[in-house]
Amino acid sequence: MSVGIEKVGFYTAPYYIDMVDLAKARQQDPNKFLVGIGQKQQSVIPPSQDVVSMAANAATNILSDEDKQLIDMIIFGTETGIDNSKAASMYLQSLLGISDNARAFEIKQACYGATAGLQMAIDYITLHPDRKVIVVGADIARYGLNTSGEVTQGGGAVVMLISNQPKIIQFDGRSTFYSKNVMDFWRPGYTKEAKVDGHYSNDVYIDFFNRTFKQFLQKFDLTINDFSALTFHVPYPKMGIKALRSVAGEDDPSMESIWHEFHESIIYNSRVGNLYTGSLYLSLISLIANSDTLSAGDRIGMFSYGSGAQGEFFAGILQDFDNSKLKHAVDQIINNRNQLTISEYEAMYKQGLIDAANTANDLSGDSSRFVLKGRSDDKLIYRDQEMNIDF
Ligand code: HMG
């Protein structure tokens, strides 16, 4: 019985800032951001996009009408919820026209939510091999203007179609996980900006990676050499570098190829920034879209981390997959964004913090198919700009 990722889609908003501009505006040495953090650019999410519209934009080009009829579950991982009660998946279901005979719900555990959803999807397809599940990881990472976390902001969505036709990655259900109640990063209900104990969060991340990775090797009698690549949750590229360094020396010749693949896996993250639940999966996309040295049958390790904290290590086998379409689609989304000045970004960021019973978003700069029009009498209104329909 095969189960895994049949299709994958990505979206980020049509704006970005350059990290050299941000460093200059914050009186920092640009190399702190470019080298110390490893970030080159950062997506800026306008008020016309939220996790629902971003997920719909990520999914729209990958799902066929047949897929929409076969989907039994829409699992939406996010920590940027749009309502304290109603799940983002309900809106997504109608925007995408997915069958009403589906379970639709949201999962929250910081950046880990999409992985919880993925594991649930794998279990479900194992029992119901003729059905499909979509798993979403969509978020907007906000720490506040002029904070030390600002350089690690970003946002976007990854959508995966899980089925018994794993055309991209096949999973075998093997994973190791570890959780503990810690205060490394959290977001109180009254604010859209995260609170973080930054250096402590790095330590917890490394600790959870080492625990779950070493447990995985021991439990399944493997060594690091059994992996062609290791991918990570990437809050910022240097975090992944630190994690990989903890198990693979950069100067060790036997680790050369794992480091080569790692650098392919952070190409997109270094231009988009943190997208919380979607970050590990954007890194996986970056690896399989950009690497020309991986081949079918290669084992790819995946470390998922959600502050608070939950870690999980698992692995998948790369399938015989033509990556050219995926690479073209993702490159286009990232390359076609418009660059903002820091003052334009600051204005957009502040607008994104505003919420009221009635709002109307400026849609003029956003030609994405799905947008958030605003709120009317406390109800969110989305728009399909291609079909001219409001939801
Ligand atoms: P900071 O304290 O401003 O930075 O914030 P720093 O002083 O630690 O410097 C960063 C690095 O730049 C250091 O390198 C410096 O040496 C270097 P390191 O020692 O780490 O290797 N540096 C320079 N390099 C070259 N040229 C220079 C230069 N100057 C300094 N001139 C911090 C950094 C990451 C703490 C901050 O941005 C932050 O709090 N970010 C948010 C938290 C975060 O991303 N944590 C990651 C682990 S937790 C996680 O992944 C979960 C999360 O995604 C949320 C969720 O689960 O929902 C965040």
Side-chain angles (χ1 to χ4, degrees):
M1 161 65 206
S2 309
V3 55
I5 304 174
E6 180 186 335
K7 297 179 185 176
V8 66
F10 167 74
Y11 171 86
T12 191
Y15 301 104
Y16 76 98
I17 49 171
D18 191 280
M19 290 301 97
V20 174
D21 293 349
L22 184 67
K24 286 181 181 158
R26 302 295 180 247
Q27 281 95 48
Q28 298 283 337
D29 178 348
N31 278 335
K32 174 172 177 186
F33 289 3
L34 296 173
V35 182
I37 296 291
Q39 201 65 43
K40 294 188 177 92
Q41 298 173 348
Q42 177 179 107
S43 280
V44 179
I45 315 300
S48 55
Q49 291 295 329
D50 71 359
V51 292
V52 170
S53 58
M54 291 197 294
N57 286 316
T60 187
N61 292 326
I62 64 164
L63 299 182
S64 66
D65 289 343
E66 197 196 345
D67 291 333
K68 290 176 190 175
Q69 289 309 312
L70 289 172
I71 289 169
D72 268 4
M73 288 205 278
I74 307 162
I75 310 179
F76 203 120
T78 186
E79 53 177 299
T80 319
I82 39 100
D83 190 288
N84 285 330
S85 173
K86 186 168 173 175
S89 48
M90 312 317 301
Y91 294 99
L92 189 64
Q93 182 180 28
S94 60
L95 289 176
L96 295 175
I98 293 172
S99 158
D100 291 346
N101 296 315
R103 291 183 183 137
F105 54 94
E106 193 173 302
I107 292 187
K108 179 176 68 181
Q109 183 5 65
C111 301
Y112 173 75
T115 301
L118 174 62
Q119 298 298 357
M120 198 179 286
I122 293 168
D123 291 350
Y124 186 81
I125 297 302
T126 306
L127 277 176
H128 307 89
D130 54 341
R131 309 302 296 173
K132 301 190 183 204
V133 175
I134 60 167
V135 178
V136 178
D139 275 299
I140 303 172
R142 289 192 190 96
Y143 292 89
L145 301 176
N146 224 338
T147 60
S148 64
E150 185 180 28
V151 61
T152 66
Q153 293 179 156
V158 174
V159 173
M160 296 176 276
L161 183 68
I162 309 302
S163 76
N164 73 343
Q165 295 153 57
K167 294 188 178 142
I168 304 178
I169 298 280
Q170 180 172 336
F171 297 110
D172 63 6
R174 297 195 290 188
S175 73
T176 45
F177 27 83
Y178 184 79
S179 60
K180 209 163 192 68
N181 178 12
V182 297
M183 293 303 283
D184 62 330
F185 165 105
W186 65 104
R187 186 164 65 80
Y190 63 82
T191 173
K192 288 188 173 184
E193 297 171 322
K195 309 284 174 194
V196 64
D197 189 342
H199 293 279
Y200 177 55
S201 74
N202 290 355
D203 295 344
V204 181
Y205 176 114
I206 296 283
D207 177 39
F208 278 39
F209 166 61
N210 274 268
R211 283 175 191 274
T212 53
F213 181 57
K214 285 172 186 163
Q215 199 192 345
F216 191 91
L217 298 186
Q218 198 179 27
K219 195 168 167 187
F220 303 114
D221 199 20
L222 297 168
T223 73
I224 190 169
N225 298 314
D226 291 308
F227 294 87
S228 301
L230 292 179
T231 54
F232 297 85
H233 164 56
V234 184
Y236 59 97
K238 184 70 164 291
M239 186 74 251
I241 292 174
K242 286 182 178 181
L244 187 53
R245 259 184 206 153
S246 70
V247 295
E250 267 168 304
D251 300 329
D252 179 347
S254 70
M255 294 294 128
E256 199 182 317
S257 70
I258 217 145
W259 275 103
H260 169 78
E261 304 301 355
F262 172 79
H263 286 291
E264 306 287 3
S265 80
I266 54 172
I267 290 175
Y268 293 149
N269 304 71
S270 71
R271 298 185 61 194
V272 173
N274 197 353
L275 52 154
Y276 290 159
T277 44
S279 288
L280 166 62
Y281 302 100
L282 178 60
S283 180
L284 180 66
I285 290 173
S286 184
L287 175 73
I288 59 179
N290 291 301
S291 173
D292 49 16
T293 35
L294 286 177
S295 51
D298 281 348
R299 182 183 280 117
I300 299 172
M302 295 180 220
F303 174 62
S304 177
Y305 178 76
S307 283
Q310 173 75 54
E312 178 153 345
F313 188 87
F314 57 109
I317 303 297
L318 186 65
Q319 303 299 291
D320 190 7
F321 162 70
D322 174 8
N323 62 1
S324 55
K325 247 174 90 177
L326 178 67
K327 179 169 168 53
H328 179 72
V330 179
D331 282 348
Q332 269 215 321
I333 290 166
I334 295 178
N335 292 340
N336 288 347
R337 295 170 303 168
N338 300 305
Q339 185 172 354
L340 299 177
T341 64
I342 297 304
S343 49
E344 286 168 334
Y345 143 71
E346 288 176 346
M348 198 175 269
Y349 182 95
K350 284 177 191 158
Q351 268 181 324
L353 298 179
I354 297 168
D355 239 337
N358 293 287
T359 56
N361 291 328
D362 176 7
L363 306 177
S364 59
D366 191 346
S367 60
S368 312
R369 176 166 177 185
F370 295 101
V371 289
L372 173 63
K373 236 179 128 178
R375 211 186 270 275
S376 172
D377 290 336
D378 274 319
K379 293 175 187 136
L380 289 167
I381 312 288
Y382 293 94
R383 182 161 184 79
D384 180 341
Q385 301 201 105
E386 207 172 288
M387 307 297 283
N388 285 326
I389 304 172
D390 285 353
F391 291 84

